[in-house]
Amino acid sequence: MTPENLLAAQKEFFLSGQTKPLKFRLKQLKKFRDALRENEQYFYEAVYKDFSKSEFETYATELSLVYSELNLAIKKLKKWMKPKKKRTNLANLPGKSYVLPDPLGCTLVIGAWNYPYQLSLIPVISALAAGNTVILKPSELSYNASAIMAKIFNHFFIPEIFHVIVGGVKETQAFINLNFDKIFFTGSVPVGKIIYKAAAQNMTPVTLELGGKSPTFVLPDTNLKMTAKRIVWGKFLNAGQTCVATDYILVDKKIETQLLEELKKQINKQFPDFSKGVPENYVQIINERNFDRLMNLIDKEKVYVGGTSDRANRIIHPTIMHNVTFKDPVMDDEIFGPILPVIAYENLEEAIEEVKQRPKPLALYIFSKSKRAVRQIQTEISFGGGAVNDTVMHLTNHRLAFGGTGSSGMGNYHGYTGFENFSHFKSILKKPYWFEPKMKYAPYSEKKRKFLKFLIE
Ligand code: NAD
């Protein structure tokens, strides 16, 4: 089927109204869950082939989140779909007001490679729950994961409801110029701009889940051991190829040395096998282009831990750089790999100012016991979301809407927010026949004007 024909088939199906009833939506979500459950092993094998992501990590960081979203949507959908009452203003009394969630129509989801399942499938779940049809285009870089999603879901679903396309730039371009009712994109800022521009031609609304440099502040009053433990976990998970990983650390100069020592200890503890070659449970860099890009960011003079690599296996050992400044090349763009620069500051206000001058981060983390300092950083800097005394974990709470701001993205999802994202809320006012104020109608008079002013002001 050509892209045009596929979308036309979905449009016809959507316009038939079949996707709207609760029963239909629940059936799709349960079918989706069956497709996953019955084929889980293939999903593990595929992503392992792509970048040797272990079964544990694939479940913990991908499939568990997908199942949680599915279970939540199945449980809550009836409630989410109900009209929601709103208070009515004086001028419309004794009327009633409510909002009615309505599916947007035919939607396109474009996924990134770093978490190939959850970044593609969670938006699809939200779209189906909201009563839309979906075309999913996962990333070509995680080829095996994309191919298995296409094979399994295209077997379970008819293309009029949900279809997965395998392909790269050319295939994506063929879809983004079509007249979708929504495009949901996860990926880089430059490609986000291409998507936004293409969508504008058709006035298609977009959600852009992008990236950026996410800072982690470490203040002197923190618990250093726990801080290092949580930073190392969040940073080297997926070999740093995580959109919300700590991109760099801003640490108070007074505790710089202790923090570096604790980070080193944690790396040795969490990845004890490095001395024996390629460790189990450590993810590869997705391809050689990214491997070379990352190795070029390592300034050997500034390596505190790591800096070593194995090109044949596309492994870069957990690397910490110290004595880094904002002028170093590693601070130019999002790192998206297992390299962690540490910048020491003497003055917190100046450090905050430096971050404020840069594009708005997707995530921001603060390690401190001081409520005042936490509040100061959180109110002064714009960023998507984050955590206090932890990293990355905020995105596992579906009650916290996930998304960026400024160049780190626009729009949110996860849980009910995902349902909202793929719905339009029709605002409705319902009036009874038995009451109608005369003052609304011509001929107008000074008395009517005064009464209106009295009511409003
Ligand atoms: P990418 O932008 O290169 O690719 C994303 C998708 O866009 C892929 O499906 C790809 O096929 C498609 N694409 C690539 N070039 C295109 C073009 N010229 N025209 C049309 N489509 C094109 O991103 P990536 O390398 O897959 O992912 C890494 C980036 O994604 C990082 O910046 C990271 O921070 C960001 N990211 C963000 C989130 C989030 O939730 N905010 C999650 C993961 C990754």
Side-chain angles (χ1 to χ4, degrees), residues 51 113-114 212-213 231-232 234-248 282-286 290-291 293-295 297-298 314-321 330 333-341:
F51 53 142
W113 56 265
N114 58 328
K213 290 183 87 63
I231 292 177
V232 165
K235 176 66 187 184
F236 300 107
L237 184 77
N238 218 32
Q241 301 165 115
T242 302
C243 58
V244 287
T246 296
D247 189 90
Y248 61 98
Y282 188 70
V283 174
Q284 288 174 294
I285 303 303
I286 189 70
N290 272 294
F291 179 92
R293 175 185 67 79
L294 287 163
M295 287 309 292
L297 293 178
I298 299 176
R314 300 196 320 270
I315 292 283
I316 298 178
H317 298 154
T319 297
I320 295 186
M321 286 167 60
V330 74
D333 293 313
E334 182 184 4
I335 296 170
F336 218 56
I339 303 168
L340 179 54

Side-chain angles (χ1 to χ4, degrees), residues 109-115 118-120 137-142 146 167-174 176 184-192 194-195 208-212 241-244 286 289-290 334 336 362 395 402-404 408-409 413-414:
V109 172
I110 303 170
W113 56 265
N114 58 328
Y115 290 89
Q118 59 126 325
L119 296 176
S120 296
K137 212 300 291 176
S139 173
E140 67 281 18
L141 297 193
S142 46
S146 300
V169 175
K170 200 169 112 245
E171 288 73 13
T172 319
Q173 300 261 347
I176 56 176
F184 188 107
F185 170 81
T186 302
S188 62
V189 176
V191 181
I194 295 171
I195 305 293
L208 301 175
E209 299 288 343
L210 311 176
Q241 301 165 115
T242 302
C243 58
V244 287
I286 189 70
R289 189 174 59 80
N290 272 294
E334 182 184 4
F336 218 56
L362 178 60
L395 69 79
F402 179 75
S408 56
Y413 73 130
H414 286 189

Side-chain angles (χ1 to χ4, degrees), residues 120-164:
S120 296
L121 299 180
I122 292 178
V124 171
I125 292 164
S126 299
L128 290 174
N132 301 280
T133 67
V134 195
I135 295 171
L136 165 66
K137 212 300 291 176
S139 173
E140 67 281 18
L141 297 193
S142 46
Y143 174 78
N144 293 294
S146 300
I148 202 68
M149 285 191 276
K151 188 171 172 195
I152 306 241
F153 289 113
N154 293 349
H155 172 73
F156 273 75
F157 286 86
I158 57 167
E160 287 84 349
I161 299 172
F162 170 33
H163 194 69
V164 184

Side-chain angles (χ1 to χ4, degrees), residues 273-382:
D273 293 339
F274 273 107
S275 49
K276 296 176 208 148
V278 181
E280 243 184 278
N281 300 331
Y282 188 70
V283 174
Q284 288 174 294
I285 303 303
I286 189 70
N287 56 21
E288 285 177 359
R289 189 174 59 80
N290 272 294
F291 179 92
D292 294 337
R293 175 185 67 79
L294 287 163
M295 287 309 292
N296 277 333
L297 293 178
I298 299 176
D299 177 346
K300 289 214 160 58
E301 307 266 285
K302 298 196 172 182
V303 168
Y304 183 78
V305 180
T308 42
S309 65
D310 170 357
R311 194 166 192 278
N313 289 302
R314 300 196 320 270
I315 292 283
I316 298 178
H317 298 154
T319 297
I320 295 186
M321 286 167 60
H322 65 153
N323 299 327
V324 176
T325 72
F326 278 101
K327 294 200 176 81
D328 286 68
V330 74
M331 292 305 295
D332 287 347
D333 293 313
E334 182 184 4
I335 296 170
F336 218 56
I339 303 168
L340 179 54
V342 178
I343 300 180
Y345 66 81
E346 281 178 30
N347 179 310
L348 180 62
E349 277 68 33
E350 281 172 23
I352 293 174
E353 206 45 46
E354 285 284 358
V355 180
K356 276 166 72 177
Q357 296 304 322
R358 291 173 161 70
K360 297 176 182 176
L362 178 60
L364 184 142
Y365 307 110
I366 307 163
F367 286 85
S368 172
K369 291 177 190 151
S370 157
K371 278 190 191 157
R372 198 192 59 79
V374 167
R375 178 65 59 87
Q376 182 190 1
I377 297 168
Q378 284 180 342
T379 46
E380 285 194 32
I381 302 173
S382 282

